[in-house]
Amino acid sequence: MPVYTSEALILRTYKLAEADRIVVFLTKDRGKKRGVAKGARRAKSRFTATLEPLTRAGIAYYERELRDLVRINYVEPQRSALTAVARGTQDASALGHAEYFAELIDEWAPEGHADERLYRLGSSVIDALADAVPTDALARYFEFWLLRLQGVYPQLSACPECGGAFDGGAVMPAREQHYVCRRCAGGGGCADRSAERVGGTTLSLAAMHFLRTSATCSPDALIDAPLDAAAARELETAHRRLLHVHLEKELKSARVLRQIR
Ligand SMILES: [Zn+2]
Protein backbone atom coordinates (compact mmCIF):
# COMPACT_ATOMS: atom_id res chain seq x y z
CA MET A 1 0.00 0.00 0.00
CA PRO A 2 1.62 3.31 -1.02
CA VAL A 3 1.58 5.92 1.71
CA TYR A 4 1.26 9.63 0.87
CA THR A 5 1.96 12.63 3.03
CA SER A 6 0.71 16.08 2.10
CA GLU A 7 -0.55 19.38 3.38
CA ALA A 8 -4.34 19.36 3.11
CA LEU A 9 -7.53 21.27 3.93
CA ILE A 10 -10.23 19.35 5.78
CA LEU A 11 -13.52 19.99 3.95
CA ARG A 12 -16.12 17.86 5.74
CA THR A 13 -16.65 14.62 7.60
CA TYR A 14 -19.50 12.18 7.97
CA LYS A 15 -20.20 9.14 10.11
CA LEU A 16 -19.18 5.66 9.09
CA ALA A 17 -20.19 2.53 10.99
CA GLU A 18 -20.11 2.84 14.79
CA ALA A 19 -16.91 4.68 15.57
CA ASP A 20 -15.38 5.91 12.31
CA ARG A 21 -15.61 8.95 10.12
CA ILE A 22 -15.21 9.54 6.43
CA VAL A 23 -13.12 12.65 5.86
CA VAL A 24 -13.21 14.68 2.64
CA PHE A 25 -10.00 16.67 2.22
CA LEU A 26 -8.23 18.67 -0.44
CA THR A 27 -4.55 17.82 -0.77
CA LYS A 28 -2.11 20.31 -2.12
CA ASP A 29 -0.57 17.91 -4.61
CA ARG A 30 -3.19 15.29 -5.52
CA GLY A 31 -6.56 17.03 -5.33
CA LYS A 32 -9.61 16.00 -3.36
CA LYS A 33 -9.65 12.67 -1.52
CA ARG A 34 -12.03 10.72 0.71
CA GLY A 35 -10.62 8.67 3.50
CA VAL A 36 -11.57 6.65 6.57
CA ALA A 37 -10.45 7.96 9.97
CA LYS A 38 -10.66 4.84 12.13
CA GLY A 39 -12.14 5.39 15.58
CA ALA A 40 -12.57 9.13 14.99
CA ARG A 41 -15.89 9.19 16.85
CA ARG A 42 -14.49 7.66 20.02
CA ALA A 43 -14.10 10.06 22.97
CA LYS A 44 -10.35 9.62 23.17
CA SER A 45 -9.57 9.48 19.49
CA ARG A 46 -6.28 10.76 18.11
CA PHE A 47 -8.41 12.67 15.56
CA THR A 48 -10.18 14.76 18.23
CA ALA A 49 -10.31 18.48 17.23
CA THR A 50 -8.32 17.85 14.05
CA LEU A 51 -11.22 17.37 11.62
CA GLU A 52 -13.05 20.72 11.88
CA PRO A 53 -14.00 22.14 8.47
CA LEU A 54 -11.23 24.17 6.83
CA THR A 55 -8.48 23.03 9.20
CA ARG A 56 -5.14 23.08 7.42
CA ALA A 57 -3.19 20.01 8.40
CA GLY A 58 -0.37 17.70 7.57
CA ILE A 59 -1.97 14.40 6.60
CA ALA A 60 -0.70 10.90 5.89
CA TYR A 61 -2.86 8.34 4.10
CA TYR A 62 -2.62 4.96 2.44
CA GLU A 63 -4.09 4.42 -0.95
CA ARG A 64 -5.45 0.97 -1.61
CA GLU A 65 -5.70 -0.42 -5.08
CA LEU A 66 -9.15 -0.31 -6.66
CA ARG A 67 -10.66 1.40 -3.63
CA ASP A 68 -12.14 4.88 -3.71
CA LEU A 69 -11.57 5.44 -0.01
CA VAL A 70 -8.06 6.00 1.30
CA ARG A 71 -7.11 5.11 4.85
CA ILE A 72 -6.02 8.06 7.00
CA ASN A 73 -3.02 7.40 9.18
CA TYR A 74 -2.66 10.75 10.94
CA VAL A 75 -3.84 14.36 10.79
CA GLU A 76 -1.56 16.99 12.29
CA PRO A 77 -3.46 20.32 12.48
CA GLN A 78 -1.58 23.51 11.63
CA ARG A 79 -4.19 26.27 11.55
CA SER A 80 -7.97 26.51 11.83
CA ALA A 81 -10.85 28.86 12.58
CA LEU A 82 -11.42 26.88 15.76
CA THR A 83 -8.05 27.86 17.23
CA ALA A 84 -8.72 31.52 16.34
CA VAL A 85 -12.06 31.37 18.19
CA ALA A 86 -10.45 29.60 21.15
CA ARG A 87 -7.82 32.35 21.36
CA GLY A 88 -10.47 35.05 21.12
CA THR A 89 -9.14 36.59 17.89
CA GLN A 90 -12.43 35.73 16.12
CA ASP A 91 -16.00 35.35 17.36
CA ALA A 92 -17.99 32.14 16.90
CA SER A 93 -19.32 33.25 13.49
CA ALA A 94 -15.88 32.38 12.10
CA LEU A 95 -16.80 28.70 12.48
CA GLY A 96 -19.90 29.11 10.33
CA HIS A 97 -17.82 30.90 7.72
CA ALA A 98 -15.13 28.21 7.78
CA GLU A 99 -17.86 25.66 7.11
CA TYR A 100 -19.25 27.77 4.26
CA PHE A 101 -15.84 28.14 2.60
CA ALA A 102 -15.14 24.42 3.00
CA GLU A 103 -18.51 23.51 1.49
CA LEU A 104 -17.89 25.76 -1.51
CA ILE A 105 -14.44 24.24 -2.10
CA ASP A 106 -15.94 20.75 -1.81
CA GLU A 107 -18.60 21.62 -4.40
CA TRP A 108 -16.01 22.90 -6.84
CA ALA A 109 -13.00 20.65 -6.41
CA PRO A 110 -13.06 17.60 -8.67
CA GLU A 111 -11.99 14.27 -7.09
CA GLY A 112 -8.32 13.44 -7.34
CA HIS A 113 -7.41 16.34 -9.61
CA ALA A 114 -4.79 18.73 -8.23
CA ASP A 115 -5.82 22.40 -8.33
CA GLU A 116 -3.06 24.40 -6.75
CA ARG A 117 -4.74 27.78 -7.11
CA LEU A 118 -7.90 26.57 -5.38
CA TYR A 119 -5.74 25.06 -2.64
CA ARG A 120 -3.85 28.33 -2.17
CA LEU A 121 -7.12 30.29 -1.98
CA GLY A 122 -8.48 27.97 0.74
CA SER A 123 -5.23 28.02 2.63
CA SER A 124 -4.96 31.82 2.52
CA VAL A 125 -8.50 32.32 3.87
CA ILE A 126 -7.66 30.10 6.86
CA ASP A 127 -4.74 32.42 7.63
CA ALA A 128 -6.94 35.48 7.18
CA LEU A 129 -9.61 34.01 9.48
CA ALA A 130 -6.97 33.21 12.09
CA ASP A 131 -5.52 36.73 11.74
CA ALA A 132 -8.88 38.33 12.57
CA VAL A 133 -9.82 39.65 9.12
CA PRO A 134 -13.56 40.57 9.33
CA THR A 135 -15.59 37.56 8.19
CA ASP A 136 -18.05 39.55 6.07
CA ALA A 137 -15.35 41.04 3.83
CA LEU A 138 -13.52 37.72 3.73
CA ALA A 139 -16.64 35.87 2.56
CA ARG A 140 -17.18 38.30 -0.35
CA TYR A 141 -13.48 38.04 -1.24
CA PHE A 142 -13.61 34.26 -1.19
CA GLU A 143 -16.72 34.07 -3.39
CA PHE A 144 -15.18 36.53 -5.85
CA TRP A 145 -11.98 34.51 -6.17
CA LEU A 146 -13.69 31.12 -6.29
CA LEU A 147 -15.89 32.26 -9.18
CA ARG A 148 -12.91 33.93 -10.80
CA LEU A 149 -10.76 30.80 -10.66
CA GLN A 150 -13.59 28.93 -12.40
CA GLY A 151 -13.60 31.61 -15.08
CA VAL A 152 -17.20 32.64 -14.43
CA TYR A 153 -16.83 35.97 -12.60
CA PRO A 154 -18.37 38.85 -14.62
CA GLN A 155 -16.12 41.33 -16.39
CA LEU A 156 -15.06 44.31 -14.23
CA SER A 157 -12.82 46.24 -16.60
CA ALA A 158 -15.60 47.86 -18.66
CA CYS A 159 -19.31 47.53 -19.35
CA PRO A 160 -19.70 44.67 -21.88
CA GLU A 161 -22.60 46.44 -23.62
CA CYS A 162 -21.21 49.93 -24.27
CA GLY A 163 -17.53 49.52 -23.40
CA GLY A 164 -17.82 52.42 -20.95
CA ALA A 165 -16.35 52.59 -17.47
CA PHE A 166 -18.28 51.52 -14.38
CA ASP A 167 -17.92 55.04 -13.04
CA GLY A 168 -21.35 55.14 -11.43
CA GLY A 169 -21.35 51.61 -10.05
CA ALA A 170 -22.88 48.62 -11.84
CA VAL A 171 -26.05 46.57 -12.12
CA MET A 172 -26.48 42.82 -12.56
CA PRO A 173 -29.78 42.74 -14.44
CA ALA A 174 -32.42 40.22 -13.36
CA ARG A 175 -31.85 36.75 -14.87
CA GLU A 176 -28.44 37.76 -16.25
CA GLN A 177 -24.96 36.91 -14.95
CA HIS A 178 -22.90 39.94 -15.87
CA TYR A 179 -22.56 43.55 -14.75
CA VAL A 180 -23.60 46.46 -16.94
CA CYS A 181 -23.08 50.16 -16.29
CA ARG A 182 -25.86 52.26 -14.82
CA ARG A 183 -26.51 53.92 -18.20
CA CYS A 184 -27.07 50.60 -19.97
CA ALA A 185 -29.06 49.27 -17.02
CA GLY A 186 -31.38 52.24 -17.38
CA GLY A 187 -32.11 51.13 -20.93
CA GLY A 188 -30.34 54.10 -22.50
CA GLY A 189 -33.66 55.88 -22.84
CA CYS A 190 -35.42 52.82 -24.24
CA ALA A 191 -38.47 52.22 -22.05
CA ASP A 192 -38.93 48.56 -23.04
CA ARG A 193 -35.37 47.70 -22.18
CA SER A 194 -35.59 49.52 -18.87
CA ALA A 195 -38.73 47.64 -17.81
CA GLU A 196 -37.08 44.36 -18.74
CA ARG A 197 -34.31 45.12 -16.30
CA VAL A 198 -36.34 45.91 -13.21
CA GLY A 199 -35.29 43.73 -10.29
CA GLY A 200 -31.57 43.69 -10.98
CA THR A 201 -28.88 43.84 -8.30
CA THR A 202 -27.14 47.19 -7.92
CA LEU A 203 -23.49 47.52 -6.93
CA SER A 204 -22.36 50.86 -5.52
CA LEU A 205 -18.98 52.40 -6.24
CA ALA A 206 -17.82 51.16 -2.83
CA ALA A 207 -18.70 47.58 -3.81
CA MET A 208 -16.91 47.91 -7.17
CA HIS A 209 -13.89 49.35 -5.40
CA PHE A 210 -13.82 46.36 -3.04
CA LEU A 211 -13.85 43.95 -6.01
CA ARG A 212 -10.98 45.76 -7.71
CA THR A 213 -8.96 45.73 -4.50
CA SER A 214 -9.72 42.03 -4.01
CA ALA A 215 -8.42 41.27 -7.49
CA THR A 216 -4.94 42.43 -6.53
CA CYS A 217 -4.52 41.69 -2.82
CA SER A 218 -4.19 38.68 -0.55
CA PRO A 219 -7.05 38.15 1.93
CA ASP A 220 -4.80 39.21 4.82
CA ALA A 221 -4.72 42.71 3.33
CA LEU A 222 -8.52 43.05 3.76
CA ILE A 223 -7.84 44.14 7.31
CA ASP A 224 -6.91 47.53 5.79
CA ALA A 225 -9.69 47.52 3.16
CA PRO A 226 -12.89 47.88 5.15
CA LEU A 227 -16.17 46.99 3.47
CA ASP A 228 -19.19 48.95 4.62
CA ALA A 229 -22.35 47.04 5.50
CA ALA A 230 -24.40 48.27 2.52
CA ALA A 231 -21.71 47.32 -0.02
CA ALA A 232 -21.27 43.95 1.70
CA ARG A 233 -25.00 43.21 1.27
CA GLU A 234 -24.93 44.23 -2.41
CA LEU A 235 -22.02 41.89 -3.09
CA GLU A 236 -23.60 39.10 -1.07
CA THR A 237 -26.74 39.30 -3.21
CA ALA A 238 -24.84 39.42 -6.51
CA HIS A 239 -22.58 36.52 -5.49
CA ARG A 240 -25.49 34.46 -4.23
CA ARG A 241 -27.13 34.82 -7.62
CA LEU A 242 -23.93 33.79 -9.43
CA LEU A 243 -23.31 30.81 -7.13
CA HIS A 244 -26.91 29.71 -7.45
CA VAL A 245 -26.68 29.64 -11.24
CA HIS A 246 -23.37 27.79 -11.31
CA LEU A 247 -24.05 25.31 -8.50
CA GLU A 248 -27.77 24.98 -9.33
CA LYS A 249 -28.58 25.04 -5.61
CA GLU A 250 -28.08 26.97 -2.40
CA LEU A 251 -25.60 25.57 0.11
CA LYS A 252 -26.82 24.60 3.56
CA SER A 253 -24.02 26.51 5.30
CA ALA A 254 -24.92 29.71 3.38
CA ARG A 255 -28.52 29.47 4.60
CA VAL A 256 -27.37 28.89 8.17
CA LEU A 257 -25.10 31.95 8.07
CA ARG A 258 -27.96 34.15 6.86
CA GLN A 259 -30.27 32.84 9.58
CA ILE A 260 -27.68 33.53 12.28
CA ARG A 261 -27.39 37.12 11.13
ZN1 LIG B 1 -22.82 50.27 -20.52
Side-chain angles (χ1 to χ4, degrees), residues 11 24-27 30-34 106 109-113:
L11 300 180
V24 183
F25 56 100
L26 182 71
T27 65
R30 301 179 69 240
K32 188 165 79 175
K33 299 278 172 190
R34 277 163 212 280
D106 187 20
E111 303 265 341
H113 181 85

Side-chain angles (χ1 to χ4, degrees), residues 159-164 180-185:
C159 170
E161 292 194 6
C162 69
V180 298
C181 72
R182 301 291 285 267
R183 295 174 297 276
C184 290

